Amino acid sequence: PQLLSDGRLIGVGMDVDVSIIQGVKLSLFDVTDATAPSSLDDAVIGTRGTSSAALEDHHAFTYDETTGDVVLPISLYEGGSGNGSYGEFQYNAVYLYHVGDALDLDAAIKLNTT
């Protein structure tokens, strides 16, 4: 998680449906009142099988406070079902989100397709 100077927090995790892990989830929270944090927005990237190095290594997650941009590496899978089957690999990419009142996807820069 990355605590922003204005009392918000950005977190990276997995989207879970019942007990099955789906895509990567980027979440924005308001934590100005630590006793009552609230969810402001979230973005789910891909389907079952999608992953990010940021889930294992905090160095893979970048937040630039001067621009409000988040950079996140993604290995994207699409078409996975909720019953446990993985989707098909699409590509590795770097996703760029702008953090304002919400999480806005600015770009998905594909690194390869194989």
Side-chain angles (χ1 to χ4, degrees), residues 22 46-50 76-83 85-90:
Q22 302 298 325
T47 63
R48 186 161 172 75
T50 299
L76 186 74
Y77 283 69
E78 290 290 355
S81 68
N83 66 6
S85 65
Y86 280 46
E88 286 188 38
F89 174 74
Q90 302 297 305

Side-chain angles (χ1 to χ4, degrees), residues 41-59:
D41 195 18
D42 59 55
V44 176
I45 306 164
T47 63
R48 186 161 172 75
T50 299
S51 64
S52 174
L55 296 168
E56 303 286 330
D57 181 1
H58 70 275
H59 292 106

Side-chain angles (χ1 to χ4, degrees), residues 9-29:
L9 179 82
I10 301 171
V12 179
M14 298 300 293
D15 185 40
V16 178
D17 180 20
V18 184
S19 63
I20 299 184
I21 296 171
Q22 302 298 325
V24 171
K25 186 174 185 177
L26 184 64
S27 298
L28 180 64
F29 299 95

Side-chain angles (χ1 to χ4, degrees), residues 59-110:
H59 292 106
F61 176 91
T62 302
Y63 174 72
D64 184 340
E65 191 164 349
T66 61
T67 63
D69 291 330
V70 170
V71 180
L72 189 66
I74 294 289
S75 180
L76 186 74
Y77 283 69
E78 290 290 355
S81 68
N83 66 6
S85 65
Y86 280 46
E88 286 188 38
F89 174 74
Q90 302 297 305
Y91 51 80
N92 290 313
V94 176
Y95 275 51
L96 175 65
Y97 281 87
H98 180 73
V99 181
D101 294 331
L103 298 167
D104 296 313
L105 179 63
D106 283 343
I109 303 163
K110 295 179 186 179

